[in-house]
């Protein structure tokens, strides 16, 4: 198969790329900094593209170059998150989240749709977050962008299903990536149910294979989110605020 992973230069995206490569598939990955990927020589079926997802033309050029006439799977793992709780968010953080988590994702959906329309089949996976599953007032901008992303993916799912194109939304809980560790001063002890990037990659690949509409992991986080969803919105907001304060860096 041919798989293109947007935001595949690190973390969950890179782990997913490696699992597909190990299984013998052709994989294209992109990000703003491809120098940090040290895999080229190990995997001749890997192609790297340096670009910003906000640049739709660059994205189109890269995916078209990689795919030719066939693209089996596109995974959008690009994402921007920062310590957005408790009023610490800068203007730059907010605009970056909107650009990468929403505008970049729409660019990716549009470009991929054009290619998959021609072949009348294909699968798109969008990495959102469990934080996008909860609806409550005063949620973080990150949570709001991921919630919007889930809604956008759902609208595309409806529009593309007649053309044989499927969409899976991935909603991970905490995943032990370099980025998450950096943001938390390398201390994830206050993050519940943390899983590794390899585990996340396996769940993503499984979800795509089973053509699931949504994949939420790990299970304990899924049940916790289900439980929280039953509460009144104001109470969810209170619980989330307390949790943010408790896990605040000293
Ligand atoms: N880790 C978690 O706990 C967790 C939980 C839930 C959801 N998620 C979501 O999972 C996805 C991956 O997260 P991660 O933890 O693996 O973080 P990560 O290692 O920082 O991965 C993010 C990827 O996005 C790329 N990227 C960011 N901005 C970009 C831009 N403007 N243009 C092109 N590529 C860009 C990065 O590449 P470059 O730096 O090379 O541009 C990188 O490859 C994100 O969408 C995140 O929101 C993560």
């Amino acid at each position: 198969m041919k798989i293109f992973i947007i935001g595949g230069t690190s973390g969950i995206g890179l782990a997913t790329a490696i699992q597909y490569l190990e299984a013998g598939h052709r994989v294209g990955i992109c990000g703003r900094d491809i120098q940090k990927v040290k895999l080229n020589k190990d995997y001749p079926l890997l192609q790297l593209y340096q670009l910003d997802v906000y640049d739709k033309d660059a994205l189109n050029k890269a995916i078209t170059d990689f795919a030719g006439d066939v693209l089996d799977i596109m995974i959008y793992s690009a994402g921007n998150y920062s310590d957005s709780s408790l009023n610490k968010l800068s203007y730059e953080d907010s605009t970056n989240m909107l650009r990468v988590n929403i505008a970049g994702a729409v660019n990716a959906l549009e470009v991929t749709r054009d290619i998959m329309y021609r072949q009348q089949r294909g699968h798109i996976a969008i990495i959102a977050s469990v934080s996008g599953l909860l609806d409550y007032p005063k949620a973080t901008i990150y949570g709001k962008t991921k919630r919007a992303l889930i809604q956008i993916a759902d609208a595309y799912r409806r529009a593309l299903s007649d053309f044989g194109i499927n969409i899976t939304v991935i909603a991970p809980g905490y995943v032990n990536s370099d980025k998450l560790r950096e943001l938390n001063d390398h201390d994830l002890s206050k993050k519940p149910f943390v899983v590794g990037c390899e585990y996340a990659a396996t769940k993503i690949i499984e979800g795509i294979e089973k053509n699931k509409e949504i994949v939420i992991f790990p299970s304990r986080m899924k049940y916790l989110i289900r439980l929280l969803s039953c509460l009144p919105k104001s109470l969810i907001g209170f619980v989330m605020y307390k949790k943010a304060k408790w896990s605040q860096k000293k």
Side-chain angles (χ1 to χ4, degrees):
M1 287 196 296
K2 279 192 199 171
I3 300 129
F4 196 88
I5 303 182
I6 300 172
T9 55
S10 60
I12 299 171
L14 182 60
T16 308
I18 293 171
Q19 288 197 14
Y20 275 126
L21 286 162
E22 291 283 346
H25 300 293
R26 276 193 60 190
V27 177
I29 62 180
C30 71
R32 291 159 306 169
D33 176 13
I34 56 172
Q35 307 307 326
K36 63 187 174 194
V37 183
K38 309 288 181 205
L39 300 175
N40 306 34
K41 292 197 187 76
D42 307 335
Y43 298 108
L45 294 178
L46 173 67
Q47 280 173 258
L48 301 174
Y49 298 89
Q50 182 141 332
L51 56 84
D52 189 313
V53 288
Y54 200 57
D55 183 346
K56 183 169 175 249
D57 291 339
L59 201 51
N60 189 21
K61 213 165 147 217
I63 301 184
T64 307
D65 175 79
F66 171 76
D69 292 331
V70 180
L71 181 63
D72 296 285
I73 298 170
M74 184 282 278
I75 300 174
Y76 191 82
S77 187
N80 188 288
Y81 53 100
S82 55
D83 190 4
S84 60
S85 59
L86 308 172
N87 307 321
K88 280 188 200 151
L89 201 63
S90 68
Y91 173 75
E92 198 191 350
D93 287 337
S94 313
T95 47
N96 268 339
M97 274 190 247
L98 293 170
R99 283 166 73 112
V100 182
N101 300 354
I102 298 185
V106 172
N107 284 344
L109 281 160
E110 286 294 311
V111 168
T112 308
R113 173 183 77 163
D114 288 347
I115 294 171
M116 290 183 174
Y117 262 160
R118 290 197 285 277
Q119 62 192 31
Q120 293 278 299
R121 65 172 189 88
H123 202 112
I124 296 172
I126 300 286
I127 317 285
S129 165
V130 287
S131 65
L133 299 172
L134 288 174
D135 181 15
Y136 61 97
K138 299 182 190 160
T140 60
I141 293 216
Y142 175 71
K144 302 269 188 203
T145 61
K146 291 295 186 177
R147 192 163 178 80
L149 182 58
I150 293 170
Q151 299 301 321
I152 291 165
D154 188 56
Y156 272 88
R157 178 184 293 117
R158 186 192 161 123
L160 300 185
S161 60
D162 287 348
F163 301 93
I165 304 167
N166 302 312
I167 298 194
T168 298
V169 166
I170 311 288
Y174 292 108
V175 181
N176 189 349
S177 63
D178 289 348
K179 174 75 188 275
L180 186 73
R181 280 198 303 278
E182 269 165 37
L183 270 179
N184 291 280
D185 293 338
H186 298 271
D187 177 11
L188 299 183
S189 58
K190 290 188 171 175
K191 303 289 175 204
F193 317 137
V194 179
V195 297
C197 287
E198 292 69 26
Y199 174 92
T202 303
K203 287 287 173 188
I204 292 166
I205 293 171
E206 246 176 49
I208 293 172
E209 274 169 11
K210 292 183 179 161
N211 194 13
K212 291 205 168 166
E213 284 203 0
I214 185 156
V215 177
I216 305 168
F217 61 81
S219 303
R220 283 190 296 173
M221 182 61 95
K222 179 162 75 178
Y223 300 130
L224 179 63
I225 295 287
R226 273 198 197 145
L227 193 72
L228 283 169
S229 305
C230 300
L231 300 176
K233 286 183 187 181
S234 55
L235 193 51
I236 303 174
F238 177 75
V239 171
M240 297 307 281
Y241 176 76
K242 286 286 177 197
K243 185 214 153 242
K245 271 209 93 65
W246 173 73
S247 58
Q248 191 179 15
K249 283 182 281 190
K250 292 280 175 270

